[in-house]
Amino acid sequence: MTDTTGGRRILVLGAGYSGMMCAIRVARRSRRQGGRVTLVNPSARFTERLRMHQIATGQRLADHRIPELLDGTGVDFVEGRAAGVDPERREVRVETGAGTVTLPYDILVYAIGAATDTRAVPGAASHAYTFDGAGEAGRLAKRLAEIEPLGGAVTVCGGGLTGIEAATEIAESHPGVRVVLVSRDVPGAMMGDRARRHLDRALERLGIEVRAGAEVVKVLPDAVELAGGELLHSDACLLTAGVRVAPLAADAGITVDERGRIVVDGTLRSVSHPQVHAVGDAAAIRQTWGNIHGTCQSGIPTAAYTADAIVALLRGRRVKPFRFGYVHQPVSLGRRDAVIQFTHPDDTPRRWILTGRAAVVYKEFVSGSPVPTYRLTKRYAGALVWPRGGRRTRRPVTP
């Protein structure tokens, strides 16, 4: 299905870190092939998910608008929610403010990211806060401002990197709030001993109460219930553990894994529908060392690779398999402290770590806003050269 101008229609669903990178890069690099790129997203605001913990504590961040970021790229933007995919007709049904429209495609890039699974814990959908958007984080910021003068308590559920960053940011920004971090395992369990020791000292310094080995089984309006029946008073509950993938791909008959992610081949194309490419959290990607888990560190490289792969296909060239290896686990501990755990390609910890002010600078460099990278890519598509196979990534593209 090719349009009357002879160009190929490339439709990108999702304008998160991965979707934005892929749309801008493929538009820039496919101009000579007449590629026409359309990007679909429910909101016109670009959400920097790595900074939700800052928004949740009332910090003012730049308000980036997707149409402005796309200006000059030739990418068409449609503000709307993808409601259905028909891979046989190669069409996507999109619900917009003006009604439902049908967008045809020749190549589909599926970049719809994961969201917090509030269904997994009874009461969470009604009473818990999440980091699934700037609006959600802003609601938590208002609640924290309300409860701090009263000496209120906030419960952060999940001892992964997101939970740790949220708990430390809240404790530092709102010293009058009692912060409780509830985790099934020790916080930062994926890190090495030295990094965890620094992390533990930071949690203690900030007065955060850690409930390791505990599981939240129910969220109530003013408490959380732990397995075993214990109730913890909570004026605000932030859920950071557990994610779910949108059912759009599964409903369309595209082959997905047990988590709903699109099963892809070595070139990140759907094994059941090769005209569909999946990137970031939406893709079930296996490397020689194991499965990639969803992070910005891996998501943007999948997007850059996929943009280049699409251009190679349009030019009739062979596409080499995607290769990737992790480099680090960067964790902010408030605005004045951080810990960086350097890793093997399979994300297991190496001996080396970075802490303190040096780690803060490093974290800001590698996990800062991707917007400058998008702007650079608009002008120089080859500025971020992706290794097209045969070796692991030695460093993340960005952030």
Side-chain angles (χ1 to χ4, degrees), residues 17-18 50 161 280-281 292-302 324 326 328 347 399:
Y17 286 96
S18 302
L50 291 182
L161 306 188
D281 294 344
I292 288 178
H293 56 85
T295 65
C296 180
Q297 185 181 170
S298 58
I300 288 184
T302 65
F324 176 81
Y326 289 97
H328 53 208
D347 210 28

Side-chain angles (χ1 to χ4, degrees), residues 264-339:
V264 296
D265 63 15
T267 62
L268 308 191
R269 301 171 76 182
S270 164
V271 296
S272 60
H273 296 81
Q275 75 277 8
V276 176
H277 301 245
V279 299
D281 294 344
I285 305 171
R286 183 164 184 81
Q287 298 290 278
T288 56
W289 46 260
N291 295 319
I292 288 178
H293 56 85
T295 65
C296 180
Q297 185 181 170
S298 58
I300 288 184
T302 65
Y305 167 89
T306 293
D308 294 351
I310 290 172
V311 173
L313 291 171
L314 294 179
R315 295 174 178 173
R317 296 178 180 175
R318 177 176 173 269
V319 178
K320 294 183 179 180
F322 177 72
R323 294 288 181 265
F324 176 81
Y326 289 97
V327 177
H328 53 208
Q329 297 162 352
V331 189
S332 64
L333 304 171
R335 294 296 87 202
R336 297 184 291 274
D337 194 8
V339 58

Side-chain angles (χ1 to χ4, degrees), residues 30 51 59 119 138 246 379 387:
S30 66
R51 294 184 178 271
Q59 298 175 46
R119 300 171 302 180
R379 298 183 61 188

Side-chain angles (χ1 to χ4, degrees), residues 53-275:
H53 55 286
Q54 293 180 250
I55 296 177
T57 53
Q59 298 175 46
R60 298 290 297 273
L61 302 181
D63 184 8
H64 298 294
R65 294 289 156 173
I66 293 173
E68 296 174 4
L69 295 177
L70 296 177
D71 185 42
T73 64
V75 177
D76 295 321
F77 175 62
V78 175
E79 184 177 350
R81 184 182 69 87
V85 177
D86 187 336
E88 307 309 322
R89 296 176 62 87
R90 299 192 184 183
E91 295 176 343
V92 175
R93 189 174 75 258
V94 179
E95 296 175 349
T96 72
T100 301
V101 298
T102 299
L103 301 179
Y105 65 85
D106 297 298
I107 298 171
L108 178 67
V109 179
Y110 193 94
I112 298 177
T116 307
D117 189 5
T118 55
R119 300 171 302 180
V121 181
S126 301
H127 307 302
Y129 296 86
T130 70
F131 280 169
D132 288 337
E136 276 286 294
R139 286 201 312 117
L140 178 56
K142 292 180 180 179
R143 182 58 177 161
L144 292 174
E146 292 172 353
I147 67 176
E148 183 171 20
L150 305 175
V154 59
T155 304
V156 179
C157 305
L161 306 188
T162 301
I164 292 168
E165 291 195 326
T168 53
E169 199 78 36
I170 293 170
E172 181 182 86
S173 300
H174 297 278
V177 172
R178 174 173 169 249
V179 181
V180 182
L181 179 61
V182 180
S183 177
R184 292 182 180 180
D185 207 335
V186 296
M190 74 295 294
M191 308 179 94
D193 292 341
R194 295 173 63 215
R196 284 203 307 274
R197 284 196 294 270
H198 183 83
L199 168 61
D200 290 342
R201 287 194 295 268
L203 296 174
E204 182 178 0
R205 170 174 54 82
L206 291 167
I208 297 170
E209 179 183 341
V210 177
R211 297 295 297 270
E215 178 182 1
V216 174
V217 297
K218 190 173 185 179
V219 180
L220 303 169
D222 59 354
V224 297
E225 181 180 339
L226 305 183
E230 181 183 0
L231 292 179
L232 292 179
H233 172 71
S234 180
D235 296 294
C237 172
L238 172 63
L239 188 64
T240 67
V243 297
R244 58 182 172 85
V245 178
L248 200 64
D251 291 346
I254 299 171
T255 299
V256 298
D257 68 358
E258 68 282 356
R259 294 175 52 189
R261 300 176 302 178
I262 295 178
V263 179
V264 296
D265 63 15
T267 62
L268 308 191
R269 301 171 76 182
S270 164
V271 296
S272 60
H273 296 81
Q275 75 277 8

